[in-house]
Amino acid sequence: MSITINEHRQKITQAKRIVIKIGTSSLLYPNGKINLEAIDELAFVLTDLENQGKEVLLVSSGAIGAGLHKLQLPTRPTSIPEQQAVAAVGQAELMNIYNQRFVTYGQNIAQVLLTRDVIEYPESRQNVVNTLEQLLKMHIIPIVNENDTVAVDELDHETKFGDNDQLSAIVALLVKADVLIMLSDIDGFYDANPNKNPHATLFREVHEINPQLMEVAGGSGSRFGTGGMRSKLEAAQRLMKKHQSMVLARGKHPRIIKKILTGEAIGTLFTEK
Ligand code: ADP
């Protein structure tokens, strides 16, 4: 007997350990300025979940965007050292803004910056897991990002995760999260890119990522985001392989996280049958 959508959603209501991924497009306005309302709402919701006794981790993009804003640069520089310098400025700026908002609600946060080589080497991976577990035990919300200031793709030394969609799935795997909630600039995964096809319909539930679905995921759609829909499907695939679940939903109003966790049929749920 197949399980209905509601039963799958029901399982999400039991989630204790939750990873939230938020994309740059939810944190910054299209003009490049900081979306304070979204960040404040995110801090409120995550703190409230923590107060309910849940364990919350945040994977946040936005360092380069915040750096461009801080340095008053109209466009992303092209050279890697310049981009990494902007990310170094922006990461501090972003954490400063997060800290201001979380302090308002009495919640402690921590910054965890990762590179792929750290995760691939078993001993350092275990250290990352130990740190994240310890932070959760101390009721501190880890805010994870790729260490953009040092991560580079070189033939003999690959240290990049690719993008934060992959990073968030890896974090969810590392801590064996009950669910990854991926917040994007779109309501979920559609049977065609809704920005190009007004008749596209939303998939409420996906149980398997196949090449046909990859095909309708197209390329990246936003000014800052590097991932695109394909990368979100790859992240979902990573999790489903390990019997974990992901919900993809719009992040403009982070209160949506609460609705997802009460089992409302919001966004696209990626889960095993
Ligand atoms: P974010 O920066 O919020 O993580 P991305 O730009 O990486 O978002 O990915 C979301 C974008 O993917 C959407 O805005 C849309 O333009 C594009 N996209 C391509 N194909 C699809 C699809 N089948 N369903 C939904 N969005 C799609």
Side-chain angles (χ1 to χ4, degrees):
M1 200 183 81
S2 71
I3 303 173
T4 67
I5 289 175
N6 288 342
E7 279 169 87
H8 281 135
R9 291 281 178 171
Q10 198 59 38
K11 254 179 79 184
I12 305 279
T13 65
Q14 314 292 317
K16 168 129 187 355
R17 187 169 281 195
I18 301 149
V19 176
I20 312 285
K21 186 259 168 178
I22 192 146
T24 305
S25 53
S26 309
L27 299 170
L28 299 178
Y29 289 112
N31 66 9
K33 293 199 174 172
I34 310 284
N35 185 338
L36 288 174
E37 195 180 343
I39 297 182
D40 186 51
E41 202 175 306
L42 185 65
F44 171 80
V45 170
L46 299 195
T47 303
D48 203 52
L49 292 175
E50 177 68 41
N51 289 350
Q52 287 172 18
K54 298 193 186 285
E55 296 173 317
V56 183
L57 301 97
L58 175 65
V59 175
S60 176
S61 306
I64 291 194
L68 292 176
H69 172 59
K70 175 97 176 159
L71 298 173
Q72 302 280 296
L73 299 174
T75 51
R76 197 177 168 129
T78 47
S79 82
I80 288 177
E82 277 175 306
Q83 286 182 17
Q84 293 187 318
V86 172
V89 172
Q91 180 64 31
E93 176 69 0
L94 192 63
M95 286 307 292
N96 188 26
I97 296 167
Y98 272 128
N99 201 43
Q100 282 173 7
R101 306 326 304 163
F102 275 99
V103 158
T104 313
Y105 302 111
Q107 176 63 50
N108 283 326
I109 57 169
Q111 172 181 263
V112 178
L113 298 178
L114 300 175
T115 45
R116 188 166 134 182
D117 51 341
V118 169
I119 301 299
E120 282 178 354
Y121 187 65
E123 276 176 37
S124 51
R125 179 173 59 222
Q126 191 55 48
N127 285 334
V128 172
V129 172
N130 294 347
T131 305
L132 293 174
E133 291 287 349
Q134 185 62 39
L135 288 167
L136 295 176
K137 210 187 280 177
M138 294 163 77
H139 304 286
I140 297 167
I141 296 180
I143 301 188
V144 184
N145 192 10
E146 175 149 29
N147 194 355
D148 291 323
T149 55
V150 296
V152 279
D153 263 339
E154 286 172 37
L155 283 180
D156 56 343
H157 189 61
E158 252 188 52
T159 61
K160 275 186 104 97
F161 289 103
D163 56 65
N164 273 7
D165 297 331
Q166 303 315 308
L167 174 60
S168 63
I170 288 166
V171 168
L173 291 171
L174 284 176
V175 300
K176 299 186 171 56
D178 298 309
V179 65
L180 165 63
I181 298 178
M182 192 176 282
L183 299 177
S184 180
D185 65 350
I186 197 101
D187 290 322
F189 175 48
Y190 288 76
D191 61 359
N193 184 347
N195 292 329
K196 293 185 183 149
N197 185 338
H199 303 297
T201 37
L202 180 70
F203 289 110
R204 286 280 169 212
E205 205 156 316
V206 171
H207 300 295
E208 191 199 0
I209 310 288
N210 55 35
Q212 286 88 334
L213 288 187
M214 277 293 181
E215 203 54 45
V216 296
S220 175
S222 62
R223 182 183 152 201
F224 298 103
T226 49
M229 194 47 59
R230 288 179 83 92
S231 155
K232 285 156 184 60
L233 295 198
E234 280 164 18
Q237 195 165 30
R238 274 179 195 267
L239 288 168
M240 284 157 74
K241 267 188 196 154
K242 299 284 181 189
H243 321 293
Q244 287 176 242
S245 304
M246 176 178 125
V247 176
L248 176 67
R250 189 182 288 273
K252 199 167 168 225
H253 300 292
R255 269 174 205 267
I256 201 170
I257 296 167
K258 290 258 197 164
K259 293 188 177 172
I260 291 167
L261 291 172
T262 55
E264 274 191 46
I266 288 170
T268 306
L269 170 62
F270 297 85
T271 192
E272 279 185 312
K273 251 210 163 43

